[in-house]
Each structure stands twice: as structure tokens, then as C-alpha cells.
Amino acid sequence: MLFQFDYKKAMMTYLTEKYPDDTFHFINIGTETFGSSHVEMIASSDKFPNPEYYIHVRMDRKTREITENYIEFYFREQAIAHVRPFIENIYGTCLIKCGIAGTGLLKSNLTPDMNVSEYLRDVKDAKGCSLQFSIYTTKDSVPKDEDVEALRLVFAEMESQIDICILYVKELNAHFDKMNGIQSRQWMLENCSLQGIFYMDESYNFSHRNWREYS
């Protein structure tokens, strides 16, 4: 009988060994498509129990390389706290959100032993995903280009290759995350006047920039 690799056990062991200060609970395992090159597992944790924090862990069938998204939850609040002084020096008091965008997951060499500066620098090495900061500001949008360039220079100095979303709004809403899709869309239509999307390249310059009126 051929040996069958236990992906579930391997990935659960990975989580418990890498993050010993949390407790994990298996939810599901499988692949999206037949013949996929990886197996993906979904788990929950005691520290991040809500469904929006479900942990995705992928293991490559051939190399056994693991990628995951838990490390993004682990550093999210630290990352926001770290960049807030720089951002608010440009945009004033604002609402800052942080998350991973794209279809990829973060490599396992990002660990809780890093400090937040190292995380923000090394997260750029992940494939198929990027770290994005969304900034909701009530500042006048007239100097928008100068302001976002000042922000780019801040992240370039940190050697952090990230995506930036700037949203000019009438007011800040601390409860925005608790709205459902329809509510948040309606709130944005009523309060957001301008949105800017910016992607950085490996030289920390904007490879993509786009301003548009929110609609």
C-alpha cells in the first residue's frame, strides 16, 4: 500500500508549532480544482475567532512549501500602529485599514519573531498577493498628488513595497467594518468623493496610479 501524505496533520502541526500562543481548530481541507498543484486547509483560531479571520494554509504537493494568511492577522494592528504617525502627519486624523490583496498567501519565512518593520519590509517577497493600506481621510483633496507622493517616499524609506488606497470622505466612520455590503456601499456613495489606487514596483515607485470620483 502506497504511503499517503497526511496534509491535514502537516498543516495543523505547522500552525501549532509556528504560533504556540494560539489554539487552532480544523474546518475544512481540499482543493478548488481537479489536479491542483496544492492542497488548501481552512482553520479558525481562538485569538481570531470571527469568520473574516479564517486561516488559509496551502501546501504545495510537490515541494511541500507552505504559504498562509495567519501572519497577516498577527501583524495587522501592529502594522497600522507603526505607520499611523507617518500617515497622519500627511493626512491628519484618519481611518487606516490593512489587509492582503490578491490570490496568493504569505510565505512561511514571515514569523512572529520578526519586528513589525521587518514584516513590512519582507512581505513584498510573497507571490500573487500584496499588502494594502486603505486610508480614509477628511483632508481637502486639492494637494492629493503631493500627499500621495509624500506617502510613497515614507514607504520607500521603509523598503516596504505595498499598495495604497486613498479615500477622501466627508466623515470618518469607526463602525464601517460592521456594515454589510449594501450598507457600506451606500455609506461610501453618500460620503466618499474621490478614490486613488496606487501600486508600487520593486523600486518603490508607483507602477500604477489612478484617481477617480467615487461612484
Side-chain angles (χ1 to χ4, degrees):
M1 184 176 183
L2 293 176
F3 171 75
Q4 186 173 2
F5 187 80
D6 192 335
Y7 289 97
K8 173 185 172 182
K9 181 179 179 180
M11 287 190 275
M12 287 299 293
T13 299
Y14 162 91
L15 288 175
T16 56
E17 290 183 350
K18 187 175 181 181
Y19 308 107
D21 58 344
D22 204 345
T23 301
F24 300 93
H25 309 281
F26 172 79
I27 296 178
N28 199 0
I29 191 168
T31 55
E32 291 295 325
T33 58
F34 178 78
S36 174
S37 62
H38 68 267
V39 175
E40 181 161 339
M41 182 186 75
I42 301 174
S44 64
S45 84
D46 286 355
K47 279 195 171 183
F48 304 105
N50 296 329
E52 59 264 34
Y53 293 108
Y54 277 177
I55 303 146
H56 291 250
V57 185
R58 292 177 190 161
M59 177 176 279
D60 187 280
R61 292 180 184 273
K62 186 176 293 184
T63 66
R64 304 285 196 252
E65 180 185 15
I66 287 178
T67 53
E68 40 111 339
N69 67 338
Y70 181 89
I71 197 72
E72 187 263 315
F73 305 145
Y74 187 93
F75 275 108
R76 180 177 290 180
E77 295 304 319
Q78 293 182 58
I80 291 174
H82 185 75
V83 303
R84 182 176 292 280
F86 309 110
I87 292 176
E88 293 197 338
N89 186 51
I90 300 169
Y91 291 100
T93 301
C94 53
L95 181 64
I96 304 171
K97 299 179 183 299
C98 175
I100 293 294
T103 58
L105 297 175
L106 299 176
K107 298 177 71 172
S108 59
N109 64 343
L110 300 173
T111 72
D113 297 331
M114 332 174 74
N115 60 47
V116 66
S117 296
E118 292 173 318
Y119 168 74
L120 289 171
R121 182 194 67 208
D122 294 346
V123 71
K124 64 191 176 196
D125 295 329
K127 294 181 180 179
C129 65
S130 59
L131 184 65
Q132 181 182 81
F133 283 95
S134 296
I135 301 163
Y136 297 73
T137 178
T138 57
K139 184 179 181 180
D140 192 303
S141 64
V142 170
K144 62 183 186 301
D145 292 314
E146 293 87 347
D147 287 344
V148 78
E149 174 61 16
L151 186 59
R152 184 194 69 78
L153 291 173
V154 167
F155 283 111
E157 180 67 22
M158 295 165 54
E159 297 183 21
S160 182
Q161 182 185 349
I162 51 91
D163 296 341
I164 301 170
C165 178
I166 309 292
L167 301 110
Y168 287 91
V169 296
K170 295 178 183 177
E171 61 181 24
L172 301 179
N173 190 333
H175 304 292
F176 187 79
D177 286 340
K178 297 181 180 179
M179 297 180 183
N180 61 37
I182 295 175
Q183 291 171 328
S184 60
R185 171 69 173 169
Q186 185 61 36
W187 187 88
M188 289 293 289
L189 287 172
E190 294 172 357
N191 289 276
C192 184
S193 59
L194 187 67
Q195 180 185 53
I197 302 292
F198 305 87
Y199 303 148
M200 276 186 176
D201 61 22
E202 294 179 355
S203 299
Y204 312 108
N205 294 311
F206 288 137
S207 60
H208 169 86
R209 58 170 67 221
N210 179 48
W211 290 110
R212 69 176 181 87
E213 293 184 1
Y214 195 87
S215 59

